[in-house]
Amino acid sequence: MKLRHNFKNLNVWNKAVDLAVKIYETTTSFPSDEKFGMTSQMRRSSVSIPSNIAEGTARNSSKAFTNCLDISLGESFELETQSIIARRVGLLNKYEFESINQDLDEVQKMIIGLKSNIESNPY
């Protein structure tokens, strides 16, 4: 199952890109004093999720690809933590928080599923 150069065809990559766009759009309303704080952190984490998926498809082994997926999954949990903090301090409203976390849950399940599939069918 060689995925090299096909990352744009992966549903998980597309969903993760959509999530990153949502994070960019949502954080534009954060106060300017958060520009180098929560805004930057959430944007960085969200961009890292699809970026690591894409990077993994360029790797020459299943083990290297699953390592990139592990990093992507870790970034998704960072973003989840950041969204919880942003909600608690009032940067995200209830709707924004629930929407982000629903998408995060889906992306996390998709990453875990892809990782499991690759581990079951190494190349």
Side-chain angles (χ1 to χ4, degrees), residues 15-29:
K15 185 73 176 172
V17 168
D18 291 344
L19 175 60
V21 170
K22 179 183 279 188
I23 294 299
Y24 265 78
E25 292 170 350
T26 303
T27 57
T28 58
S29 66

Side-chain angles (χ1 to χ4, degrees), residues 6-63:
N6 291 326
F7 66 90
K8 291 179 266 186
N9 295 329
L10 292 172
N11 290 333
V12 65
W13 179 84
N14 282 289
K15 185 73 176 172
V17 168
D18 291 344
L19 175 60
V21 170
K22 179 183 279 188
I23 294 299
Y24 265 78
E25 292 170 350
T26 303
T27 57
T28 58
S29 66
F30 284 11
S32 60
D33 65 340
E34 284 296 335
K35 182 178 181 181
F36 300 108
M38 193 62 76
T39 302
S40 177
Q41 286 285 86
M42 290 181 75
R43 287 178 176 186
R44 243 190 325 257
S45 295
S46 70
V47 168
S48 289
I49 299 167
S51 297
N52 279 290
I53 294 167
E55 181 180 342
T57 64
R59 300 298 180 169
N60 290 323
S61 71
S62 299
K63 185 176 180 180

